[in-house]
Coordinates of all heavy atoms in Angstrom, one line a residue:
Chain B
I143 N 144.3 54.0 80.0 CA 144.9 52.6 80.2 C 145.9 52.4 79.1 O 147.1 51.9 79.4 CB 143.8 51.5 80.3 CG1 142.9 51.8 81.6 CG2 144.3 50.1 80.2 CD1 141.6 51.0 81.6
A161 N 152.1 44.3 80.3 CA 151.8 45.6 80.8 C 150.4 45.6 81.4 O 150.1 46.1 82.4 CB 152.1 46.8 79.8
Y162 N 149.5 45.1 80.5 CA 148.2 45.0 80.9 C 147.9 44.1 82.1 O 147.2 44.4 82.9 CB 147.3 44.5 79.6 CG 145.9 44.3 79.9 CD1 145.1 45.5 79.8 CD2 145.2 43.2 80.3 CE1 143.7 45.6 80.0 CE2 143.8 43.1 80.6 CZ 143.1 44.3 80.4 OH 141.7 44.3 80.6
K163 N 148.6 43.0 82.1 CA 148.6 42.2 83.3 C 148.9 42.8 84.5 O 148.2 42.6 85.6 CB 149.2 40.7 83.1 CG 148.6 39.8 82.2 CD 149.4 38.7 81.9 CE 148.8 37.6 81.0 NZ 149.8 36.8 80.2
I164 N 150.1 43.6 84.6 CA 150.5 44.3 85.7 C 149.5 45.3 86.2 O 149.1 45.3 87.4 CB 151.8 45.0 85.3 CG1 153.0 43.9 85.2 CG2 152.2 45.9 86.5 CD1 154.2 44.5 84.7
L165 N 149.0 46.0 85.2 CA 147.9 47.0 85.6 C 146.7 46.2 86.2 O 146.2 46.7 87.2 CB 147.4 47.7 84.3 CG 148.1 49.0 83.8 CD1 147.5 49.4 82.5 CD2 147.8 50.1 85.0
R166 N 146.3 45.2 85.7 CA 145.0 44.5 86.1 C 145.3 43.9 87.5 O 144.5 44.1 88.4 CB 144.7 43.4 85.2 CG 143.3 42.8 85.4 CD 142.9 41.8 84.4 NE 143.9 40.7 84.4 CZ 144.0 39.7 83.5 NH1 143.0 39.6 82.6 NH2 144.9 38.8 83.6
K167 N 146.6 43.3 87.7 CA 146.9 42.8 89.0 C 146.9 43.9 90.1 O 146.3 43.7 91.3 CB 148.2 42.1 88.9 CG 148.6 41.5 90.3 CD 149.8 40.5 90.2 CE 150.0 39.7 91.5 NZ 150.0 40.6 92.7
H168 N 147.5 45.0 89.7 CA 147.6 46.1 90.6 C 146.2 46.6 91.0 O 145.9 46.9 92.2 CB 148.5 47.3 90.1 CG 148.9 48.2 91.1 ND1 149.8 47.9 92.1 CD2 148.3 49.5 91.5 CE1 150.0 48.9 92.9 NE2 149.1 49.8 92.5
A169 N 145.3 46.7 90.0 CA 144.0 47.2 90.3 C 143.2 46.2 91.1 O 142.6 46.7 92.1 CB 143.2 47.3 89.0
M170 N 143.4 45.0 91.0 CA 142.7 43.9 91.8 C 143.3 43.9 93.2 O 142.5 43.9 94.1 CB 142.9 42.6 91.2 CG 142.1 42.3 90.1 SD 142.4 40.8 89.1 CE 141.8 39.5 90.1
D171 N 144.6 44.1 93.4 CA 145.3 44.0 94.6 C 144.8 45.2 95.5 O 144.6 45.1 96.7 CB 146.9 44.0 94.5 CG 147.4 42.8 94.0 OD1 146.6 41.8 94.0 OD2 148.5 42.7 93.7
T172 N 144.7 46.4 94.8 CA 144.4 47.6 95.6 C 142.9 47.8 95.6 O 142.4 48.8 96.3 CB 145.0 48.8 95.0 OG1 144.8 49.1 93.6 CG2 146.7 48.8 95.1
G173 N 142.2 47.0 94.9 CA 140.6 47.3 94.9 C 140.1 48.5 94.2 O 139.2 49.1 94.6
R174 N 141.0 48.9 93.3 CA 140.6 50.2 92.5 C 140.4 50.0 91.1 O 140.9 49.0 90.6 CB 141.7 51.2 92.7 CG 141.9 51.6 94.3 CD 143.1 52.4 94.5 NE 142.9 53.8 93.9 CZ 143.9 54.4 93.2 NH1 145.0 53.8 93.0 NH2 143.6 55.6 92.6
P175 N 139.6 50.7 90.4 CA 139.3 50.6 89.0 C 140.7 50.8 88.2 O 141.6 51.5 88.6 CB 138.5 51.7 88.6 CG 138.0 52.3 89.8 CD 139.0 52.1 90.9
M176 N 140.7 50.0 87.1 CA 142.1 50.2 86.3 C 142.4 51.4 85.8 O 143.5 51.9 85.7 CB 141.9 49.1 85.1 CG 142.4 47.7 85.5 SD 142.1 46.6 84.0 CE 143.6 47.1 83.0
A177 N 141.2 52.2 85.4 CA 141.6 53.6 84.9 C 142.2 54.5 86.0 O 143.1 55.4 85.7 CB 140.2 54.3 84.6
A178 N 141.8 54.2 87.3 CA 142.4 55.0 88.4 C 143.9 54.6 88.6 O 144.8 55.7 88.7 CB 141.7 54.8 89.6
V179 N 144.2 53.4 88.4 CA 145.6 52.9 88.5 C 146.4 53.5 87.3 O 147.5 54.0 87.6 CB 145.7 51.4 88.5 CG1 147.2 50.9 88.5 CG2 145.0 50.8 89.7
A180 N 145.8 53.5 86.2 CA 146.4 54.0 85.0 C 146.8 55.4 85.1 O 147.8 56.0 84.8 CB 145.6 53.8 83.8
D182 N 147.2 57.1 88.0 CA 148.4 57.3 88.9 C 149.7 57.0 88.1 O 150.6 57.8 88.3 CB 148.2 56.2 90.1 CG 147.1 56.5 91.0 OD1 146.6 57.6 90.9 OD2 146.8 55.7 91.9
I183 N 149.7 56.0 87.4 CA 151.0 55.7 86.6 C 151.3 56.9 85.8 O 152.4 57.4 85.8 CB 150.9 54.4 85.8 CG1 150.8 53.3 86.8 CG2 152.0 54.3 84.8 CD1 150.5 51.9 86.0

Side-chain angles (χ1 to χ4, degrees):
Chain B
I143 291 168
Y162 182 78
K163 278 177 187 154
I164 290 174
L165 266 177
R166 193 179 55 188
K167 183 170 186 310
H168 195 71
M170 284 167 73
D171 289 349
T172 54
R174 299 174 64 225
M176 273 182 74
V179 173
D182 286 352
I183 291 173

